[in-house]
Each structure stands twice: as structure tokens, then as C-alpha cells.
Amino acid sequence: MSASKPTFTIDLALLGLFRQGPLHPYELFQQLQQPDGLGSVWRLKQSHLYALLDRLEARRYLTHRLELQGHRPPRKVLSLTPAGEAAFAEWVVTPVSHGRDIRLEFLTKLYFARREGPVVAAQLLERQIGCCQRWLDKHTQRGEALPEQSFERLVQQYRVGQIRATLAWLEECQETLAVFGV
């Protein structure tokens, strides 16, 4: 398998769970079930998780060692590699490029950015606000250029409303993080 970048957000997000140290796959699966963490953003079946971990290991973002357990079969313990560390560090501060990615990908990035510290979280939020502002400008201009009675203009107005709501929420996030220093 090639060493190209993963195409799914979840691949890179999983790397963030290894930032605090090695984990075995079932331990990772249990962490993902916690409702006050990523469990409130997305669900992942255990078999899918194991396939993703195999893919990350094939891309050399993770490495493993076998841990002996007495009479039971040895268990695999995974660790982040320098390549995995670099891929995660780039991913966590890169804004999402589509509004539809806010709910899963951005929330996942925000979860990890907060764990990385207030500077990383602030950087991600600032970049995402800039990206959303560009989307807002683009869709506002498109809508204004269309005939008032057109369906396409209604679609642009809907998108503008969504982007404005997202921007307001991102600004609330900034305020919350500033107040609590998270």
C-alpha cells in the first residue's frame, strides 16, 4: 500500500488518540464510545476501526509491538510514528473546505485542537472563520447576481444563512475558549 495521505478524516483523527501514548485497538475502541468525547460526534464499528488501524499502519503512521499476556495470545499495542505525528499536526490546524464538513470533520478537529492546547484551538478557529467568511462573500455575491424570483437565488440565500449561523457558532467557540483558556 502506498504512503499517500489518508482520504478519510477519521484516519487522521484516530492518530490524535495516540498522542498521549500507545494503545491496543480495543482500548482505543472503548475511548471512542465515551459520550463526552468523540462518541458525541461520530460512531465507529469495532471491525471498521480495526481496518482503519491496519491501513494507518500500512501507511507507516502507526507501528506496533506485541505485548505478552501470560497464557492468553499476545496483544497488539500501537504507537504513533514521526510520520503519523506530522500528518496529525498538519491536519488538526487545517480548516475544512466545505460547509458540509463542519458537523463531523471540524468538530473532530476542534476536539483534538482543544487537547493540543489553547494556541492550537485558537489557530484552528481563526483559520476556519476566515474560510467561512470567504464562503459567505462568494455565496452572497452569487445570490445578488441572480434574478430575485429564481430558485437558484433561494438556494444561495439558504447557503448564506447556514454560513452566517456557522460563523456565529465559531465566534461563540472563540469566546468560550478565551474565557476558559481551553
Side-chain angles (χ1 to χ4, degrees), residues 14 22 55 58 81 122 124:
L14 289 173
R55 187 164 57 201
T81 65
L124 174 64

mmCIF file of all heavy atoms in Angstrom, residues 14 22 55 58 81 122 124:
data_model
loop_
_atom_site.group_PDB
_atom_site.id
_atom_site.type_symbol
_atom_site.label_atom_id
_atom_site.label_comp_id
_atom_site.label_asym_id
_atom_site.label_seq_id
_atom_site.Cartn_x
_atom_site.Cartn_y
_atom_site.Cartn_z
ATOM 1 N N LEU A 14 -7.965 9.467 14.158
ATOM 2 C CA LEU A 14 -7.526 8.365 15.010
ATOM 3 C C LEU A 14 -6.091 8.558 15.487
ATOM 4 O O LEU A 14 -5.746 8.178 16.608
ATOM 5 C CB LEU A 14 -7.661 7.033 14.266
ATOM 6 C CG LEU A 14 -9.082 6.544 14.045
ATOM 7 C CD1 LEU A 14 -9.087 5.314 13.158
ATOM 8 C CD2 LEU A 14 -9.789 6.269 15.355
ATOM 9 N N PRO A 22 0.918 4.849 23.605
ATOM 10 C CA PRO A 22 0.493 3.631 22.900
ATOM 11 C C PRO A 22 -0.852 3.114 23.427
ATOM 12 O O PRO A 22 -1.181 3.288 24.602
ATOM 13 C CB PRO A 22 1.611 2.632 23.216
ATOM 14 C CG PRO A 22 2.774 3.456 23.651
ATOM 15 C CD PRO A 22 2.199 4.683 24.291
ATOM 16 N N ARG A 55 -4.835 0.086 8.038
ATOM 17 C CA ARG A 55 -4.483 0.995 6.942
ATOM 18 C C ARG A 55 -3.466 2.043 7.411
ATOM 19 O O ARG A 55 -2.517 2.362 6.698
ATOM 20 C CB ARG A 55 -5.748 1.657 6.395
ATOM 21 C CG ARG A 55 -5.485 2.483 5.158
ATOM 22 C CD ARG A 55 -6.718 2.830 4.391
ATOM 23 N NE ARG A 55 -7.699 3.527 5.184
ATOM 24 C CZ ARG A 55 -8.997 3.582 4.870
ATOM 25 N NH1 ARG A 55 -9.454 2.981 3.801
ATOM 26 N NH2 ARG A 55 -9.830 4.254 5.626
ATOM 27 N N ALA A 58 -0.160 0.382 7.637
ATOM 28 C CA ALA A 58 0.398 0.160 6.301
ATOM 29 C C ALA A 58 0.977 1.452 5.720
ATOM 30 O O ALA A 58 1.963 1.411 4.971
ATOM 31 C CB ALA A 58 -0.686 -0.398 5.364
ATOM 32 N N THR A 81 3.961 7.042 14.853
ATOM 33 C CA THR A 81 5.302 7.213 14.282
ATOM 34 C C THR A 81 5.549 8.705 14.034
ATOM 35 O O THR A 81 4.599 9.502 14.058
ATOM 36 C CB THR A 81 5.438 6.470 12.947
ATOM 37 O OG1 THR A 81 4.551 7.088 11.995
ATOM 38 C CG2 THR A 81 5.126 4.986 13.080
ATOM 39 N N ALA A 122 -7.141 28.046 19.090
ATOM 40 C CA ALA A 122 -7.368 29.401 18.569
ATOM 41 C C ALA A 122 -6.956 29.491 17.104
ATOM 42 O O ALA A 122 -7.643 30.131 16.299
ATOM 43 C CB ALA A 122 -6.591 30.420 19.408
ATOM 44 N N LEU A 124 -6.913 27.042 14.844
ATOM 45 C CA LEU A 124 -7.911 26.347 14.032
ATOM 46 C C LEU A 124 -9.161 27.201 13.872
ATOM 47 O O LEU A 124 -9.672 27.365 12.760
ATOM 48 C CB LEU A 124 -8.274 24.997 14.654
ATOM 49 C CG LEU A 124 -9.425 24.254 13.970
ATOM 50 C CD1 LEU A 124 -9.062 23.879 12.532
ATOM 51 C CD2 LEU A 124 -9.825 23.031 14.774
#
